[in-house]
């Protein structure tokens, strides 16, 4: 068995997966603001899983991490700073644990589903902020493993802003007074698609992906409402040197992170199974 832990700003998803990557059981709990309480709640959740013996585990967190030392440096909406989360969870489980950014493992999970069709996958999740990942040949590209596309500085309305400051779910609510789930009129979605395209075309020009996958998030969950509009906006920027790839909605948007935790844990530690 493998364990996947998706630590979100508001909730944590814990999933037990078998050797074939099939979820056997999953549990959720609110993510505490105090790190010690998180560890306590995680331990209580693990007690309720069908097994306590794991080959390996993956834990995914929002924000910036130190992979060498297994440390979470900054967590976005969570007030944790420089916590030794990999060591703490490893001590709790008694098995190898790998730590990674949540968008990166979600992208890995979705890329694995497309591995027969595409070798270079750009993954985008648009929620409170904007998360990005580049997967090449079924691996998180080490040259972009700290990729923070949502923080790209871009000109918007005459001033320089981070992309997520005007295209994320938080920005949409600030601008329109509604959550993405509450927006139904096409005119508003055209404006949202335009703002997404402004940043996305820069990523396309730099990494030249074969496909772009939109994962779970308050905005990207509504891909069916803005996908065609976004294609139209991106086509305005297309040139022979910067072709616009296909756009897709994630196949497992809500569970992509725990599946990616499994993929990464099995790749790195599955071979050590006795």
């Amino acid at each position: 068995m493998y364990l996947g832990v998706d630590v979100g700003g508001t909730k944590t998803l814990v999933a037990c997966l078998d050797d074939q990557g099939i979820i056997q059981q999953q549990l959720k709990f609110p993510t505490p603001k105090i790190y010690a309480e998180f560890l306590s709640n995680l331990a209580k959740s693990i007690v309720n899983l069908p097994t306590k013996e794991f080959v390996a585990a993956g834990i995914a967190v929002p924000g910036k991490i130190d992979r060498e030392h297994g440390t979470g440096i900054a967590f976005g909406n969570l007030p944790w700073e420089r916590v030794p989360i990999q060591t703490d969870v490893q001590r709790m489980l008694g098995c190898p644990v790998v730590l990674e950014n949540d968008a990166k493992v979600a992208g890995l999970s979705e890329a694995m589903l497309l591995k027969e069709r595409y070798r270079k996958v750009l993954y985008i999740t648009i929620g409170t902020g904007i998360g990005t990942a580049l997967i090449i040949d079924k691996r998180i590209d080490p040259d972009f493993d700290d990729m923070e596309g949502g923080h790209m500085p871009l000109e918007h309305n005459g001033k320089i802003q981070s992309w997520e400051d005007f295209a994320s779910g938080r920005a949409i609510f600030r601008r329109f007074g509604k959550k993405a789930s509450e927006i139904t009129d096409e005119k508003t979605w055209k404006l949202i698609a335009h703002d997404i395209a402004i940043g996305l075309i820069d990523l396309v020009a730099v990494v030249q992906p074969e496909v772009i996958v939109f994962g779970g998030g308050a905005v990207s969950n509504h891909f069916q409402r803005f996908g065609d509009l976004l294609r139209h906006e991106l086509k305005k920027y297309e040139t022979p040197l910067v072709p616009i790839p296909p756009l897709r909605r994630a196949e497992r948007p809500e569970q992509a992170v725990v599946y990616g935790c499994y993929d990464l844990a099995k790749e790195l530690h599955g071979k050590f199974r006795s």
Side-chain angles (χ1 to χ4, degrees):
M1 289 286 191
Y2 291 82
L3 187 70
V5 182
D6 174 10
V7 182
T10 57
K11 67 179 182 299
T12 294
L13 174 63
V14 182
C16 178
L17 303 96
D18 66 18
D19 289 352
Q20 286 70 48
I22 299 172
I23 292 178
Q24 299 301 303
Q25 186 173 342
Q26 57 183 9
L27 303 167
K28 292 182 181 179
F29 62 84
T31 306
K33 299 298 183 183
I34 299 173
Y35 176 65
E37 291 182 8
F38 162 77
L39 292 176
S40 176
N41 289 351
L42 178 60
K44 292 175 183 175
S45 295
I46 292 169
V47 168
N48 293 316
L49 294 175
T51 181
K52 312 300 178 290
E53 301 291 329
F54 298 101
V55 176
I59 182 163
V61 299
K64 190 172 181 60
I65 63 174
D66 178 344
R67 293 173 181 82
E68 181 180 358
H69 298 99
T71 302
I73 299 174
F75 292 78
N77 293 330
L78 289 172
W80 310 346
E81 291 184 2
R82 298 193 174 277
V83 296
I85 191 167
Q86 180 174 313
T87 299
D88 289 339
V89 176
Q90 192 162 290
R91 185 181 300 115
M92 184 186 303
L93 297 175
C95 71
V97 174
V98 59
L99 173 67
E100 188 50 82
N101 170 268
D102 55 359
K104 305 302 180 287
V105 292
L108 175 63
S109 167
E110 290 296 319
M112 294 295 284
L113 297 176
L114 301 172
K115 62 186 178 182
E116 303 302 328
R117 297 180 60 187
Y118 305 105
R119 60 173 293 270
K120 185 186 285 189
V121 179
L122 177 62
Y123 177 86
I124 308 288
T125 178
I126 308 174
T128 304
I130 297 178
T132 53
L134 181 64
I135 313 300
I136 300 179
D137 293 330
K138 300 179 290 186
R139 299 283 180 88
I140 299 169
D141 188 338
D143 293 328
F144 289 88
D145 59 9
D146 286 320
M147 180 184 195
E148 289 290 348
H151 292 275
M152 290 189 302
L154 300 164
E155 183 177 355
H156 183 255
N157 289 340
K159 59 181 180 180
I160 301 299
Q161 304 178 63
S162 294
W163 185 25
E164 65 179 33
D165 285 346
F166 62 86
S168 66
R170 178 174 51 211
I172 289 169
F173 184 80
R174 185 171 61 245
R175 180 177 181 183
F176 300 107
K178 294 181 179 180
K179 298 178 181 179
S181 60
E182 300 168 335
I183 297 172
T184 57
D185 63 292
E186 185 172 304
K187 181 179 179 181
T188 302
W189 278 111
K190 281 183 178 179
L191 295 172
I192 294 169
H194 172 76
D195 288 346
I196 295 172
I198 290 174
L200 189 53
I201 192 60
D202 282 5
L203 292 178
V204 171
V206 171
V207 305
Q208 296 279 303
E210 296 175 358
V211 64
I212 302 172
V213 177
F214 287 83
V219 180
S220 42
N221 274 341
H222 301 284
F223 179 72
Q224 75 279 6
R225 295 183 181 177
F226 71 86
D228 289 340
L229 300 171
L230 180 58
R231 287 187 190 93
H232 177 74
E233 287 293 324
L234 290 171
K235 285 292 183 180
K236 296 177 182 179
Y237 302 102
E238 188 171 39
T239 71
L241 294 179
V242 185
I244 303 302
L247 311 181
R248 297 172 57 102
R249 185 178 185 269
E251 293 187 30
R252 304 181 296 201
E254 300 305 322
Q255 299 168 316
V257 173
V258 291
Y259 280 116
C261 286
Y262 159 82
D263 290 326
L264 192 58
K266 187 167 187 178
E267 176 195 347
L268 296 178
H269 299 294
K271 61 188 176 186
F272 298 120
R273 186 186 181 197
S274 58

